[in-house]
Amino acid sequence: MEIEKNYRINSLFAFYQPLLTVKQNNYMQLYYGDDYSLGEIAEEYNVSRQAVYDNLRRTEKILEDYEAKLHLYQEFTARNQQADEIQAYVADNYPKDAKLNRLVAGLENLEEQ
């Protein structure tokens, strides 16, 4: 469960990072991206562990609120799932159609950019 939560928060952070404050960005990057502990972040910024914890929880809620309103992550995962299904179908049914396979690969590359 914790791994799923961390993955979701990291994904939301990737989408909505520009909307966060510098301090929120820094704390989230250190905690989720660089695997710092609350104590390490607190020491780095000369604040209490509780202050770091509270900031992270507020930021997580902000990210979830953005997602609830904008659905960027949800739509991204739905598009990726659909693209994977199309790619598998084409590979199974049209493996020799070079142009179709190239077009499907192009869709995948667009999502990664």
Side-chain angles (χ1 to χ4, degrees):
M1 182 67 177
E2 188 67 24
I3 292 173
E4 291 173 11
K5 178 192 175 206
N6 286 350
Y7 180 79
R8 178 171 174 80
I9 295 298
N10 273 318
S11 297
L12 294 178
F13 182 57
F15 278 94
Y16 301 112
Q17 181 180 9
L19 302 176
L20 300 176
T21 67
V22 171
K23 185 188 326 186
Q24 290 169 331
N25 266 300
N26 292 340
Y27 284 15
M28 293 294 287
Q29 180 59 48
L30 290 172
Y31 188 74
Y32 285 102
D34 299 336
D35 204 27
Y36 276 46
S37 69
L38 295 176
E40 290 170 321
I41 298 170
E43 188 176 312
E44 178 88 16
Y45 287 92
N46 200 28
V47 296
S48 70
R49 290 177 76 235
Q50 186 64 45
V52 174
Y53 177 83
D54 290 345
N55 185 290
L56 288 169
R57 292 300 146 303
R58 275 193 310 274
T59 304
E60 289 170 6
K61 183 176 180 343
I62 289 168
L63 292 172
E64 291 290 355
D65 289 346
Y66 286 150
E67 177 59 15
K69 292 173 183 163
L70 301 172
H71 310 287
L72 296 180
Y73 175 64
Q74 177 185 348
E75 291 170 2
F76 173 80
T77 56
R79 281 191 310 273
N80 274 348
Q81 183 178 9
Q82 186 70 40
D84 289 345
E85 289 177 27
I86 292 168
Q87 192 171 35
Y89 180 82
V90 168
D92 289 345
N93 296 289
Y94 303 96
K96 294 181 181 176
D97 189 333
K99 183 173 182 175
L100 183 58
N101 279 285
R102 194 171 47 255
L103 290 170
V104 170
L107 285 175
E108 286 288 318
N109 292 335
L110 284 175
E111 280 299 320
E112 292 174 3
Q113 294 177 358

